[in-house]
Amino acid sequence: MMKATMNHLEEVHAIFDVLHGRKEADLLMKNLNILDVHGETVYSGSLLIYHKRIVALNPDESIVKAKEVFDGQGLYAIPGLIDCHFHFESQLANPVALAEAMVPCGTTTIFAECLDILSSAGKDGIQAAKDLFHDYDKLPYRLFAFAPGKKTDASVTKAVLDMEPVIGLGEFEHFTYSAGDEDDFQKAAWVREKGGFINGHWGLTALPQMTLNYLPAIGVTNNHDVWNGDDIAKSIRYGFCTQIKFGVGSNEVIKTLIRAIVDRKFPTENFTLCCDNISIERLLKMGHMDWIVSLCAEMGLNPIKAIKMASLNAARYYHMDDQIGSLTPGRFADIVLTDSLSKINPLFVFKDGELIAKDKKLLKNADNDYSCMVTKGVAGLDDLTPQQLDLVLGQQVDVLLCHAPIPPQAVKAVYQHHIHLSGKNGLRQLLQSRTVKGHSRAMLGGSTNDGVPGLFRIAAKLLGLPFQRKAIIVSDAAIEIGFHRVVPPIPQPVLGRS
């Protein structure tokens, strides 16, 4: 305790001396048009930075001294952008490689899910989390993470909750929490004891009234799974921080959400912005939070409010607005310089007052080694022929439906679905449309065309994988999938740098 007190004493003395010209600041940024996200105005000025943080707005330059002076040339200075919900480990890149594509887009902070990689790791999930998070503080972006709320055993979740930089519980399994699953009760209890956040998941208009009350009542305070204006309205009414996602869903869905905010005049204080899932290819081609903010402005949202949704609003929701989210004294010097507010063009990106990206190129990255996470791949679908997946009317087939481990009683209660197929080749089309060569399972993500939601893993008996036999009669309209126990997830390679 004494050591911490002495460090703070030294720090306040140093800041006092910097502001009185007795000690050098690290950086003086001049000739800026600074966005005040609190007052939603822009003013001409300068920023003084010491020990990673902003210590003064418009300091008296005849008094202060700085080791380095940066001429902003009249560019707009906006806070570093924040993605409030990002499956950062699902993008076929390790955290260091992700930085190459993401940080030059002006993103300096992400709030990250890690459930996909940890569920794929199975019994090795705890070690995978340790390997994933090691030296996270060396990354050129701020990383805050969530323990998996679904797809993993409760013991994995409990262990990950105690790790840094974990601040709460990730997405709940939307089928099981409504069935009274004991694992979900335990996970929620653990994070409540720690005082952490709980991430919601599911289009709100699809949830029964009981669940809509249950989730916020136990501590779920955000929802990123809105798909239309009615979802938004209900999300706001139930007190959720509503996270508008851009990486998942069609362009029309994204535009529908933004139009709803503009046309129905929802107060923008209710919203933050996120990508949810976005490929590295899309990051490189379209951008990240810079693209999201620009699209909001293009669709009629006030550009300053859009930037605020991707900075101060996110920081406030996560109770970190005293650290990030605005260009004010005491906050970390995470700064983006752009020549436009309506079309974000990150010419310079600073984190902790250090220039880390310029002209869409990363200047400094971590050297974290993730080779320990590389595992041997499992035989995939390379030997599968299209003819083996043909469906004939009246044919009986065996189907495997893989999902996360869930108690049998919950499965029996909620996993009865119809998946409509288009003609005899429907199952083949589903598999081929979601199969990545070399992966061990085919995936049907999002919603089927009859509106059944969720993420399903479907494969046939002929793949030689362990499965629960279920006889299915194919009709001209649909096949019915039902079963009474869950098959454990099939191991997959964990991607990293070899």
Side-chain angles (χ1 to χ4, degrees):
M1 178 64 74
M2 182 60 68
K3 182 178 180 180
T5 302
M6 287 299 295
N7 287 340
H8 283 295
L9 181 60
E10 292 172 5
E11 187 75 1
V12 295
H13 269 294
I15 293 172
F16 184 87
D17 290 343
V18 165
L19 295 180
H20 286 82
R22 301 169 190 163
K23 185 180 180 69
E24 281 188 319
D26 296 317
L27 177 65
L28 174 64
M29 299 181 69
K30 303 173 56 175
N31 300 327
L32 301 172
N33 283 303
I34 303 169
L35 174 60
D36 170 13
V37 289
H38 292 275
E40 299 184 0
T41 60
V42 176
Y43 65 95
S44 299
S46 56
L47 300 171
L48 189 66
I49 297 161
Y50 172 73
H51 203 188
K52 301 182 179 182
R53 296 177 183 261
I54 299 170
V55 293
L57 307 178
N58 289 331
D60 187 339
E61 295 181 25
S62 67
I63 296 176
V64 299
K65 304 172 184 177
K67 297 175 184 176
E68 182 181 354
V69 177
F70 183 92
D71 185 355
Q73 303 176 37
L75 294 172
Y76 293 102
I78 66 174
L81 300 176
I82 301 172
D83 188 328
C84 65
H85 185 90
F86 186 19
H87 292 260
F88 87 121
E89 36 54 283
S90 304
Q91 313 312 317
L92 303 183
N94 64 47
V96 169
L98 176 65
E100 295 279 351
M102 182 180 71
V103 174
C105 299
T107 304
T108 55
T109 300
I110 62 173
F111 290 87
E113 292 275 357
C114 58
L115 61 93
D116 293 316
I117 196 169
L118 300 192
S119 63
S120 296
K123 62 181 177 59
D124 298 321
I126 296 173
Q127 186 59 49
K130 292 178 180 178
D131 295 337
L132 181 67
F133 296 144
H134 84 277
D135 289 338
Y136 74 91
D137 52 341
K138 294 181 180 179
L139 296 168
Y141 55 90
R142 302 189 191 285
L143 171 62
F144 301 98
F146 300 93
K150 61 183 182 183
K151 299 185 181 180
T152 63
D153 186 81
S155 62
V156 175
T157 296
K158 189 176 192 304
V160 177
L161 277 171
D162 291 330
M163 298 180 188
E164 291 186 356
V166 175
I167 62 170
L169 183 67
E171 299 174 1
F172 255 4
E173 173 54 70
H174 32 271
F175 290 126
T176 60
Y177 57 57
S178 60
D181 178 66
E182 187 60 32
D183 270 7
D184 282 344
F185 292 152
Q186 188 64 73
K187 291 175 181 178
W190 286 329
V191 76
R192 283 163 61 97
E193 290 170 4
K194 294 178 68 67
F197 298 89
I198 306 179
N199 291 343
H201 186 270
W202 210 232
L204 285 183
T205 51
L207 287 179
Q209 199 71 20
M210 181 279 294
T211 307
L212 278 172
N213 288 302
Y214 170 68
L215 292 178
I218 66 168
V220 177
T221 53
N222 68 57
N223 172 42
H224 69 282
D225 208 20
V226 292
W227 296 91
N228 54 52
D230 290 339
D231 278 351
I232 291 175
K234 191 166 286 189
S235 183
I236 292 173
R237 179 168 298 170
Y238 279 79
F240 292 107
C241 169
T242 304
Q243 302 166 332
I244 305 298
K245 61 183 179 183
F246 288 75
V248 177
S250 68
N251 288 336
E252 192 54 43
V253 169
I254 294 169
K255 291 177 181 178
T256 296
L257 295 175
I258 302 175
R259 287 193 193 101
I261 295 173
V262 174
D263 295 343
R264 296 173 65 166
K265 296 180 172 58
F266 291 121
T268 56
E269 287 75 12
N270 294 292
F271 302 106
T272 57
L273 302 175
C274 68
C275 72
D276 196 6
N277 270 292
I278 189 169
S279 67
I280 294 295
E281 180 182 13
R282 196 171 179 185
L283 279 174
L284 293 171
K285 182 179 179 181
M286 302 179 64
H288 187 213
M289 299 308 295
D290 54 339
W291 162 67
I292 290 175
V293 170
S294 300
L295 182 57
C296 286
E298 181 183 332
M299 293 299 300
L301 200 62
N302 182 304
I304 292 179
K305 290 187 180 295
I307 295 169
K308 187 174 179 178
M309 288 160 64
S311 55
L312 182 60
N313 286 12
R316 277 179 171 166
Y317 166 68
Y318 286 113
H319 304 170
M320 296 183 186
D321 51 310
D322 61 336
Q323 304 294 317
I324 56 176
S326 66
L327 302 183
T328 47
R331 279 69 177 177
F332 285 108
D334 299 346
I335 305 163
V336 177
L337 301 187
T338 173
D339 54 9
S340 172
L341 295 181
S342 59
K343 187 172 179 59
I344 305 300
N345 178 26
L347 298 173
F348 301 91
V349 181
F350 293 80
K351 176 182 175 285
D352 293 335
E354 181 180 6
L355 182 63
I356 56 172
K358 178 181 178 182
D359 297 330
K360 290 298 184 75
K361 298 292 183 182
L362 192 65
L363 302 179
K364 180 180 180 180
N365 204 348
D367 59 357
N368 300 359
D369 182 8
Y370 299 97
S371 60
C372 60
M373 300 185 71
V374 179
T375 61
K376 186 177 180 180
V378 179
L381 303 176
D382 291 349
D383 57 348
L384 186 65
T385 65
Q387 290 73 27
Q388 289 174 298
L389 296 177
D390 283 347
L391 296 179
V392 180
L393 296 185
Q395 176 188 20
Q396 180 172 300
V397 297
D398 290 313
V399 172
L400 164 69
L401 177 55
C402 284
H403 207 275
I406 300 168
Q409 63 272 21
V411 174
K412 187 173 182 180
V414 300
Y415 279 82
Q416 299 294 330
H417 299 297
H418 287 77
I419 299 182
H420 288 296
L421 304 176
S422 55
K424 71 173 185 177
N425 295 328
L427 179 58
R428 180 207 308 177
Q429 293 166 1
L430 290 181
L431 286 169
Q432 290 179 331
S433 67
R434 293 289 182 176
T435 300
V436 180
K437 185 176 181 181
H439 281 208
S440 61
R441 49 187 163 181
M443 299 176 65
L444 170 61
S447 300
T448 55
N449 57 4
D450 65 342
V452 178
L455 174 64
F456 306 99
R457 284 146 170 82
I458 302 177
K461 175 182 177 182
L462 54 90
L463 299 181
L465 302 172
F467 75 104
Q468 168 66 37
R469 181 183 177 90
K470 178 65 182 179
I472 298 170
I473 302 300
V474 181
S475 69
D476 58 353
I479 63 171
E480 181 177 344
I481 295 179
F483 60 96
H484 299 287
R485 74 176 176 86
V486 175
V487 181
I490 304 165
Q492 292 192 94
V494 176
L495 296 177
R497 186 171 62 186
S498 57

